[in-house]
Amino acid sequence: MRREHHPARDGWDKTIESQGLAYHRAAHPEGLSRPYWDESVHYVFSMDEVESLEAQVEELHGMCLRTVEHVVSTGRFADFALPEWTWEEVARSWERRDPHVYARFDLRYDGTGPAKLLEYNADTPTSLVESSVVQWFWLQDVFPADDQWNSVHERLVERWRGLRLPPGPTHFAFTSMDETGEEAMTVAYLQETAEQAGLPTMAIAVEDIGWDPLNRRFADLDGQMIRSVFKLYPWEWMLADDFGRHAVRHSTWIEPLWKTLLSNKALLALLWELYPGHPNLLPAHLGDPRDLTAYIAKPLLGREGASMRIVTPEGTQETTGGYGREGYVFQGFEALPEFEGQRPVLGAWVVADEPAGLGIRETTGLITDDTSSFVPHRIAD
């Protein structure tokens, strides 16, 4: 694994916008000197490295699924700060094996040892368009003789084709509250992959999904029954909404309700409990840091690096945010590796239950947040 430089393509910004990354300006805070999509640098991997990472991601995903089974069979839902009225519904969702499509592991990796799991974005993962489409076309334009860890698009189409969904169109829901356009473009891309698989689809804003109390069903603006819906709207927000009690019992939601156990950072502590000392895990505990002398406190439902606290013998660093009332997990802290002053996080994609590709975000800080930049990668042997 190494970081290399290469001149950006002429008109690169217009090119990536035409490929679906129309939100690359709005999704980045103002005042930053570096663009969100930065193709002036990229990471290079060997095929052996990628094959090893694939095997590690596959193992981690299997461990996560077995942890869900453990939580359901032992009833440990309270560890995840889930409302008690949801526990039985989460268990039923898992026991039915409600269909799932994709997820993203965030990993610490420096090219010399096993990857370390930082968190699992299993409910509403983003950076999909840039990982699946935009960096692939960059590779074709700049390094056409090289390869890339990237079968995300093909696997998404294959996954949609293999799902058994209720009859009628699958609705693809975005929230109109998103001002950057990232969510709308991500949902539109996933809708396109479903259409390529032959599924009938319809786009809808989450705010326009209605509840029909007479017929006890969800409906769109035309009054059409919503039988299945993909949403980029976190389950914890849905459960807090007035219609949350209906949502857990009606319609097929993708991602499914049981994903609340994988998108919650309490997962990190249970993984360490069930697989203590595993080379791909960092020590993690609920409630307090126990014997950890260097750790990062992560809110169970936090996003974009908000409301985190890094504690080391040298001092403490914190990020702002409004998360944490639901509780924290305390994870052993290992600083992200540094390459030319930048610290990368590897986003390893899983589609269905198979490793599917890689996206990389990097920043100068110790916590990857909304100031990070996405950089492409290639495989060169």
Side-chain angles (χ1 to χ4, degrees):
M1 178 183 178
R2 64 185 185 273
R3 190 176 191 263
E4 292 193 352
H5 297 255
H6 191 277
R9 295 167 292 177
D10 292 337
W12 63 268
D13 51 345
K14 301 300 182 185
T15 297
I16 67 172
E17 288 166 11
S18 71
Q19 294 165 350
L21 200 57
Y23 52 85
H24 70 100
R25 302 179 200 274
H28 219 35
E30 295 182 0
L32 298 179
S33 60
R34 188 183 186 192
Y36 170 66
W37 168 270
D38 187 359
E39 62 180 63
S40 69
V41 295
H42 63 275
Y43 283 84
V44 184
F45 297 84
S46 70
M47 184 60 75
D48 286 345
E49 278 183 299
V50 169
E51 290 177 347
S52 175
L53 286 168
E54 282 185 309
Q56 293 173 63
V57 168
E58 185 172 16
E59 182 172 2
L60 279 170
H61 180 65
M63 291 160 55
C64 289
L65 295 181
R66 291 190 291 275
T67 301
V68 173
E69 176 63 34
H70 167 78
V71 172
V72 171
S73 63
T74 59
R76 295 184 61 179
F77 301 102
D79 289 336
F80 293 76
L82 289 171
E84 189 170 351
W85 64 266
T86 68
W87 296 358
E88 185 176 345
E89 299 298 338
V90 173
R92 288 176 177 172
S93 174
W94 171 250
E95 290 161 357
R96 289 192 303 263
R97 296 302 191 268
D98 287 348
H100 64 292
V101 173
Y102 77 130
R104 189 191 78 230
F105 283 106
D106 283 351
L107 305 172
R108 182 200 184 279
Y109 180 68
D110 59 11
T112 62
K116 298 289 188 179
L117 173 62
L118 301 176
E119 60 184 70
Y120 200 10
N121 301 276
D123 183 18
T124 57
T126 52
S127 74
L128 180 64
V129 176
E130 45 270 55
S131 297
S132 176
V133 177
V134 180
Q135 71 167 341
W136 176 255
F137 283 115
W138 166 84
L139 182 76
Q140 303 309 303
D141 287 345
V142 182
F143 295 100
D146 287 348
D147 203 351
Q148 191 174 82
W149 182 13
N150 191 355
S151 60
V152 176
H153 183 86
E154 296 82 1
R155 289 181 182 274
L156 285 171
V157 174
E158 180 183 358
R159 180 56 171 168
W160 288 117
R161 189 176 289 127
L163 290 184
R164 294 182 179 179
L165 298 175
T170 297
H171 289 69
F172 281 74
F174 57 93
T175 174
S176 57
M177 294 187 297
D178 173 35
E179 298 179 353
T180 68
E182 179 180 13
E183 184 162 324
M185 292 303 299
T186 302
V187 172
Y189 170 64
L190 282 158
Q191 183 176 356
E192 179 184 347
T193 62
E195 290 175 347
Q196 290 183 20
L199 270 63
T201 70
M202 290 185 66
I204 190 171
V206 170
E207 293 80 4
D208 291 332
I209 296 176
W211 173 251
D212 178 354
L214 180 61
N215 296 301
R216 300 192 61 77
R217 65 183 187 180
F218 287 103
D220 60 23
L221 290 174
D222 296 325
Q224 182 175 3
M225 181 179 180
I226 297 178
R227 292 185 171 90
S228 61
V229 54
F230 172 87
K231 48 76 179 174
L232 265 191
Y233 195 78
W235 266 110
E236 62 264 26
W237 295 2
M238 292 177 64
L239 299 177
D241 285 343
D242 291 339
F243 69 79
R245 291 179 182 268
H246 301 309
V248 300
R249 299 182 180 93
H250 300 274
S251 298
T252 296
W253 298 90
I254 301 169
E255 295 297 311
L257 182 59
W258 60 264
K259 280 288 191 83
T260 57
L261 301 177
L262 293 185
S263 61
N264 186 305
K265 294 179 183 62
L267 170 72
L268 302 171
L270 269 72
L271 281 169
W272 185 253
E273 175 187 324
L274 297 175
Y275 302 95
H278 191 281
N280 294 125
L281 299 178
L282 293 166
H285 309 291
L286 291 171
D288 60 69
R290 302 190 190 179
D291 58 348
L292 296 175
T293 57
Y295 62 88
I296 179 168
K298 298 181 176 181
L300 301 186
L301 302 175
R303 295 176 176 276
E304 294 286 354
S307 305
M308 291 190 179
R309 185 173 75 258
I310 297 175
V311 178
T312 67
E314 291 73 38
T316 300
Q317 297 184 36
E318 296 185 68
T319 59
T320 59
Y323 300 101
R325 285 175 293 181
E326 69 280 7
Y328 286 81
V329 67
F330 299 85
Q331 184 183 47
F333 177 70
E334 289 187 17
L336 294 171
E338 191 170 343
F339 291 78
E340 300 179 313
Q342 295 288 330
R343 298 180 183 275
V345 165
L346 273 58
W349 292 93
V350 173
V351 177
D353 295 305
E354 300 292 335
L358 176 67
I360 301 174
R361 293 169 298 152
E362 61 176 18
T363 185
T364 57
L366 295 174
I367 296 175
T368 306
D369 55 19
D370 61 358
T371 67
S372 64
S373 292
F374 188 100
V375 298
H377 77 278
R378 63 188 175 98
I379 302 171
D381 280 325

